[in-house]
Amino acid sequence: MKTIKFDSTFFNVQDTLTCGQFFAYEQFGLGYLVRALNKFCYCYNFGDSAYIECNDEDEAFFRDFFDLERDYESLYRKALSENFAFLNLCVEKGKGIRILRQPKTENLISFMISQNNNIPRIKNSVKYLCEKLGEEVEFNGKLYHAFPDIERLAKQDVSFFKDAGLGYRAEYLKELCQKLAGGLDLEKFALLPSEKLKEELLKIKGVGDKVASCVTLFSYSRFDSFPVDTWIEKIYRENFDGKLTDRKKISSYFTDKFGEESGIIQQYMFHYKRNLERSNKWIFCFYPYLIWIL
């Protein structure tokens, strides 16, 4: 077993896993069990460090998966230099987020499942696919299910995908898996510039603008991508006084404003709005009473 130790200033394991970019994790002990394809690791924060425990042969994979070679301090400082009060708050609260470099096939399937869905249901659907069709893999003395081979997924009928809780998405997933098994090569898209990459993803039936933007960011590490969902639209209206209604135009608004740092800024803001803002508002609301009681 290999243990990778990393400074936690720019690697908060919980924030990285729960900020909406990834669905194949579960709480385990003091940290999280993470699966990517057929590889597993256990990761957690302790003291001033983040730790990743994985099989020796998977060290290079997880160093790449957690994007450990990228300078996130530089991204953090560039985001602060934009000098937006709301963004500064998001950046300070979320500076431990890293953009994962996820396997392309699994990521595309996961985000196709994510359309008009919520994170617990997405996680359950992905888990269902793994438990029904994924091979058993031993990690740290226990057996877990890997993400299924595309060939096995492609052989399933639509009812299998509906049983996974995919609803109307079942037809899209069935067709996608057949195309992937038939030779659609997502790795070749990595050679394309960002706009062309997104155009190719949008040609896949069932892939809309938001899914294409997510895959472009979370699989191809194109930080000039800015996915827009209900949370980002809420931020645009409430915190940037935005008037646009077309999500493609909202995405362009942010990429024009933030350029090459757009992707990480999107995650800072999404994480704060979805996971932190309500609790912070509660604290601010009751702060005078807390002071009085103390």
Side-chain angles (χ1 to χ4, degrees):
M1 188 71 68
K2 178 70 177 182
T3 299
I4 304 168
K5 183 179 179 181
F6 199 85
D7 190 321
S8 65
T9 305
F10 296 101
F11 187 12
N12 182 297
V13 171
Q14 177 175 309
D15 290 353
T16 296
L17 296 177
T18 64
C19 66
Q21 63 174 316
F22 181 61
F23 310 109
Y25 68 91
E26 57 186 68
Q27 284 191 291
F28 186 86
L30 297 176
Y32 295 86
L33 179 71
V34 170
R35 180 199 48 72
L37 296 179
N38 63 346
K39 303 179 188 301
F40 293 82
C41 73
Y42 174 55
C43 50
Y44 56 95
N45 286 101
F46 184 76
D48 60 358
S49 297
Y51 296 86
I52 304 165
E53 298 178 3
C54 62
N55 292 329
D56 290 354
E57 63 270 21
D58 295 334
E59 178 185 0
F61 175 88
F62 282 112
R63 284 187 178 275
D64 181 68
F65 180 81
F66 286 104
D67 206 19
L68 297 186
E69 299 303 316
R70 193 183 302 271
D71 179 9
Y72 277 79
E73 181 176 2
S74 175
L75 293 172
Y76 157 80
R77 296 196 182 283
K78 286 181 180 178
L80 287 180
S81 72
E82 298 289 347
N83 202 27
F84 287 92
F86 173 75
L87 175 57
N88 288 352
L89 176 61
C90 298
V91 172
E92 289 295 349
K93 293 291 185 180
K95 66 182 180 182
I97 292 172
R98 306 184 77 82
I99 302 294
L100 301 176
R101 296 169 58 87
Q102 299 178 48
K104 297 174 179 62
T105 296
E106 181 177 354
N107 185 242
L108 175 57
I109 289 173
S110 296
F111 272 97
M112 188 176 281
I113 292 170
S114 77
Q115 296 176 92
N116 299 314
N117 216 339
N118 60 56
I119 289 177
R121 288 183 61 189
I122 300 164
K123 291 181 65 177
N124 285 337
S125 293
V126 173
K127 186 176 181 180
Y128 180 92
L129 299 181
C130 295
E131 290 181 345
K132 291 297 182 180
L133 296 179
E135 294 183 1
E136 287 190 333
V137 176
E138 183 177 348
F139 174 68
N140 202 22
K142 294 185 179 181
L143 290 175
Y144 299 97
H145 288 92
F147 191 78
D149 291 337
I150 285 299
E151 289 74 15
R152 298 191 71 184
L153 282 168
K155 292 177 182 177
Q156 308 306 309
D157 58 27
V158 173
S159 64
F160 170 80
F161 294 102
K162 288 187 175 180
D163 289 342
L166 304 187
Y168 74 90
R169 310 168 197 86
E171 295 276 359
Y172 300 149
L173 262 294
K174 168 67 175 175
E175 183 171 326
L176 171 62
C177 291
Q178 288 180 326
K179 285 187 175 181
L180 290 168
L184 176 62
D185 187 356
L186 299 180
E187 292 296 333
K188 288 184 178 179
F189 292 174
L191 302 174
L192 301 173
S194 296
E195 282 301 314
K196 184 63 177 176
L197 164 61
K198 191 173 178 180
E199 287 177 14
E200 291 299 320
L201 291 170
L202 287 168
K203 291 177 183 178
I204 299 171
K205 187 177 180 179
V207 173
D209 194 76
K210 185 246 183 178
V211 171
S213 294
C214 286
V215 174
T216 300
L217 177 58
F218 303 135
S219 278
Y220 294 89
S221 296
R222 303 299 174 86
F223 278 49
D224 55 353
S225 182
F226 196 101
V228 176
D229 66 351
T230 53
W231 290 101
I232 293 298
E233 193 169 357
K234 187 179 177 71
I235 289 169
Y236 172 71
R237 304 200 186 290
E238 294 181 356
N239 304 105
F240 289 83
D241 196 28
K243 306 300 181 186
L244 297 170
T245 57
D246 186 294
R247 288 187 175 180
K248 292 181 181 179
K249 292 181 179 179
I250 294 172
S251 178
S252 295
Y253 166 85
F254 282 114
T255 53
D256 289 345
K257 183 178 291 292
F258 299 127
E260 294 296 323
E261 285 72 53
S262 296
I264 187 65
I265 286 174
Q266 192 268 3
Q267 285 292 275
Y268 290 147
M269 295 197 299
F270 176 91
H271 171 65
Y272 179 81
K273 198 72 170 180
R274 178 182 180 273
N275 297 332
L276 301 177
E277 185 176 61
R278 184 178 299 176
S279 60
N280 283 349
K281 284 182 177 179
W282 185 93
I283 291 171
F284 293 145
C285 179
F286 286 94
Y287 183 75
Y289 301 99
L290 294 173
I291 295 295
W292 182 80
I293 292 171
L294 294 172

